[in-house]
Amino acid sequence: MLNPLAAGSRLVRRTIAFQVVAVAALSLALLAKGPAWSLAALAGGGAIAAGGALYGVLALGGGIAPAIGALARLVLGLLVKWLVVIATLFIAIAVAKLPALAVIGGAVVALVAQVLAMAGGHRNGNP
């Protein structure tokens, strides 16, 4: 039996795992440039991963609901995700004075990993 909520939760977990691995690899590569660059990549990628995890909890955590409730959870999750991402990027660049290129690079790598994780692995045979 197909359970879309369980499938969505599995997709969120797989996406977060892809993002963590990709951002960790970038952070290790940037360690040669300096610890601030490595930390900046972790901050940028961590912002995307944390926002995605929070989105998954808010959007998929309420179980089966009427359409208006489900849509409200999706919109709320999306708003909170991008609020967390923007706030974290601002704090990393403006307050902590981490290298902006590395922060943005970490965010971009996490977003590319998100797309790759979501694009691959149709396990139920549907295209």
Side-chain angles (χ1 to χ4, degrees), residues 14-127:
R14 185 175 68 210
T15 302
I16 300 298
F18 270 58
Q19 289 175 329
V20 166
V21 169
V23 171
L26 176 66
S27 178
L28 285 174
L30 287 178
L31 195 56
K33 183 93 169 135
W37 284 74
S38 179
L39 183 62
L42 284 176
I48 300 294
L54 189 56
Y55 170 77
V57 168
L58 290 174
L60 302 173
I64 303 296
I68 191 72
L71 182 61
R73 283 196 324 255
L74 287 171
V75 171
L76 176 67
L78 193 62
L79 289 173
V80 170
K81 172 187 176 171
W82 286 107
L83 180 69
V84 166
V85 168
I86 291 169
T88 305
L89 295 180
F90 175 78
I91 290 169
I93 294 171
V95 177
K97 303 287 189 213
L98 293 173
L101 185 61
V103 173
I104 300 301
V108 168
V109 164
L111 288 171
V112 168
Q114 175 181 339
V115 169
L116 293 176
M118 294 176 78
H122 293 291
R123 288 175 174 60
N124 62 359
N126 293 331

